[in-house]
Amino acid sequence: MSSASKINTRRTVRGRDLKIRYTQDNLEDALINQRQYYDENGDELTPVTPSLLARQVATNNPTIDRLSNAEPRHISACFGSPDNKTGESNFKIVVPYAPGDNNQIEQIKEVYDYTSTSTFLSPKSPLSLTYHGENYG
């Protein structure tokens, strides 16, 4: 293949941040960002589910709360991505519900059952999920 040949690959395009009301482990609320990613066709890659959207806050305020040096609870969802060198794509989904809240379990189930419309992902459902609790640095 000559250096002048164009290689056709699909790209991930950064999307936007959703403002989410997040309940910390100490039960205080904070406003944090959930980054949404889209493919080049505008199809959503990040599994944003109804339970997460229920915590969305409509605001034009670009600032977020600091969470007292903590990284928020989240799920890492691994999808197959044949166009990626590793063959995988991982997306971080905030878990805004405090441990013990039934909505937390519902959100995890929704992410597990998520099906993407993007041709960038194959298969279109998560291969695996990894849960990460709040991390204090």
Side-chain angles (χ1 to χ4, degrees), residues 83-132:
D83 289 339
N84 282 350
K85 190 176 188 178
T86 63
E88 297 178 346
S89 287
N90 287 285
F91 300 99
K92 181 178 174 178
I93 305 98
V94 170
V95 179
Y97 300 99
D101 186 326
N102 288 335
N103 290 309
Q104 184 187 55
I105 296 166
E106 183 62 28
Q107 183 194 8
I108 293 168
K109 286 179 185 177
E110 289 173 357
V111 173
Y112 181 77
D113 291 338
Y114 178 81
T115 302
S116 176
T117 57
S118 175
T119 58
F120 183 74
L121 302 177
S122 180
K124 304 211 179 283
S125 295
L127 298 170
S128 66
L129 301 179
T130 305
Y131 177 85
H132 304 268

Side-chain angles (χ1 to χ4, degrees), residues 16-124:
R16 62 185 173 110
D17 285 333
L18 294 175
K19 302 294 182 200
I20 301 293
R21 183 173 51 87
Y22 175 87
T23 303
Q24 300 174 72
D25 284 355
N26 65 5
L27 303 181
E28 292 182 17
D29 280 355
L31 185 65
I32 65 170
N33 287 328
Q34 167 64 60
R35 173 67 82 173
Q36 285 183 282
Y37 291 95
Y38 298 89
D39 68 13
E40 62 190 5
N41 297 321
D43 291 324
E44 191 170 80
L45 296 168
T46 310
V48 174
T49 63
S51 291
L52 181 64
L53 290 174
R55 297 296 293 260
Q56 183 177 4
V57 176
T59 180
N60 292 327
N61 184 354
T63 62
I64 59 171
D65 296 329
R66 289 275 176 214
L67 295 186
S68 305
N69 296 324
E71 181 179 352
R73 288 178 302 280
H74 65 278
I75 300 167
S76 294
C78 177
F79 288 84
S81 295
D83 289 339
N84 282 350
K85 190 176 188 178
T86 63
E88 297 178 346
S89 287
N90 287 285
F91 300 99
K92 181 178 174 178
I93 305 98
V94 170
V95 179
Y97 300 99
D101 186 326
N102 288 335
N103 290 309
Q104 184 187 55
I105 296 166
E106 183 62 28
Q107 183 194 8
I108 293 168
K109 286 179 185 177
E110 289 173 357
V111 173
Y112 181 77
D113 291 338
Y114 178 81
T115 302
S116 176
T117 57
S118 175
T119 58
F120 183 74
L121 302 177
S122 180
K124 304 211 179 283

